[in-house]
Amino acid sequence: RNMAPEEVCPAAPSVATKTMKVLMGSNKTKAAQLLRLVQISVFKYQELFAPLAMACVEQFYSGTEVYGCNETFKLLDKLESYDTNRSEANESDHFEIGIQSLVMGTDSAGRLNEEEFITWWKATKDGDPIGVKWATTWIIAMGTWPAYARPVPPVGDPALRAVIIGNLHDPNTAYENAQHMKKAFPEGYLVTWQGYGHCLKVTKHATPLWRAYNEAKKNQTLPQYTNAVAKYACMSKILSYLDTGKGVQDGHTCLLPEPIPMGKAAVKALQPDDDKDDDDGDDSSGSGDSSDNSSNSSGNSGNNSS
């Protein structure tokens, strides 16, 4: 479709190439800053930080100031400070993967010894600088789990009608994994969620979405179909099936109304109203284009660079 200049991603085209050149470049300070930003954009706050990450990719790559990048790290500091304070409440699980370590460490046969781990890390860090940190956490957690492994048989049932949900843009678990799982449950249903982030989670905003829908229905107007509404509708379909056993078809895809916007307009939408007013008064340069919320530039599996 035809896009306004402020809807265009400022780092396009060749976002991945530009990102890799900054991460592997000689300026280690910029590389560390961008890696920090890209990781939180990919693995945690996709809808908040993706357009900001795109602005910084272009600024660090080109050396030209791009709207939104310079203020990004202040926001990042605030969020990380909040996350740190929240995680300190659980002193027994500093890395917040204790349950996963227990399950994977017990179920997985074999362990990487120290030499094998270092060999893997050296071979992986240059090709997958974004995913390697995530994968390293899991390898260490599983490799140091104190219990002796008791692997379980592969899961599967030829008759069980399981619902398998695959997320197209999940940075932790690849969509391909859902396709493999469907083969283990041939009578089940594969449902595809087009959204971003890890898994299809129950939205915390269901009540206001439901109120907005009822208000539109009352006023006889067409409800606004947003990405949040799409997620709520998809989750409602799954929960309805679990309750009634009906309503899900194999191959069903829960559709997003549009990809997450990545341009300057998206960055502006994240600012307080007073900042927007100040910027709109003298915005003649047009530096950095964009679109609206965050995006997972590529939804890959955890061990791969996203």
Side-chain angles (χ1 to χ4, degrees), residues 2-275:
N2 294 328
M3 301 178 70
E6 289 197 350
E7 294 181 309
V8 178
C9 174
S14 305
V15 175
T17 299
K18 292 177 180 179
T19 302
M20 288 295 292
K21 286 188 175 181
V22 174
L23 294 179
M24 307 309 298
S26 58
N27 190 324
K28 300 305 179 184
T29 298
K30 284 187 177 180
Q33 286 180 320
L34 186 59
L35 180 60
R36 175 188 175 205
L37 177 57
V38 169
Q39 283 181 328
I40 201 168
S41 303
V42 169
F43 292 107
K44 200 159 190 178
Y45 297 110
Q46 293 89 1
E47 298 192 5
L48 175 62
F49 276 102
L52 299 172
M54 294 302 100
C56 288
V57 166
E58 183 61 26
Q59 178 167 312
F60 288 175
Y61 175 79
S62 67
T64 302
E65 182 175 341
V66 177
Y67 178 83
C69 178
N70 291 337
E71 300 300 315
T72 295
F73 295 96
K74 295 179 182 178
L75 176 60
L76 189 56
D77 287 339
K78 290 181 181 179
L79 276 176
E80 289 184 338
S81 175
Y82 168 77
D83 286 343
T84 299
N85 294 335
R86 186 176 60 174
S87 64
E88 285 177 352
N90 186 1
E91 297 181 358
S92 63
D93 188 7
H94 292 292
F95 298 102
E96 299 183 342
I97 59 169
I99 299 299
Q100 296 95 319
S101 302
L102 185 156
V103 174
M104 297 295 290
T106 304
D107 289 354
S108 302
R111 292 288 188 274
L112 283 177
N113 59 34
E114 183 176 341
E115 183 178 353
E116 290 172 326
F117 169 73
I118 295 299
T119 300
W120 168 85
W121 180 78
K122 288 181 177 180
T124 307
K125 64 182 180 67
D126 292 338
D128 297 313
I130 298 172
V132 69
K133 180 181 178 182
W134 186 90
T136 298
T137 303
W138 278 89
I139 289 174
I140 293 175
M142 293 168 60
T144 58
W145 187 251
Y148 203 70
R150 292 177 289 176
V152 297
V155 298
D157 190 305
L160 183 65
R161 295 183 177 180
V163 177
I164 298 106
I165 304 171
N167 186 344
L168 287 183
H169 304 288
D170 189 325
N172 299 62
T173 51
Y175 180 75
E176 183 181 1
N177 294 351
Q179 294 175 308
H180 287 309
M181 181 67 75
K182 174 59 173 67
K183 294 178 182 178
F185 296 91
E187 293 297 315
Y189 310 96
L190 176 59
V191 175
T192 300
W193 163 234
Q194 287 184 334
Y196 303 85
H198 183 43
C199 298
L200 174 63
K201 299 177 182 178
V202 177
T203 174
K204 297 179 180 178
H205 309 294
T207 300
L209 291 175
W210 182 248
R211 288 174 180 167
Y213 170 80
N214 285 330
E215 186 67 21
K217 186 177 179 180
K218 178 182 177 182
N219 296 331
Q220 297 184 340
T221 58
L222 190 65
Q224 186 179 10
Y225 188 61
T226 63
N227 288 358
V229 171
K231 186 179 215 179
Y232 176 67
C234 191
M235 196 67 211
S236 296
K237 178 176 283 290
I238 302 301
L239 294 176
S240 177
Y241 170 78
L242 296 178
D243 185 43
T244 66
K246 300 177 182 179
V248 172
Q249 292 183 332
D250 189 27
H252 177 78
T253 298
C254 298
L255 302 178
L256 283 182
E258 63 178 0
I260 293 183
M262 301 290 285
K264 184 176 181 179
V267 176
K268 283 186 174 182
L270 298 173
Q271 289 187 332
D273 290 338
D274 53 349
D275 290 343

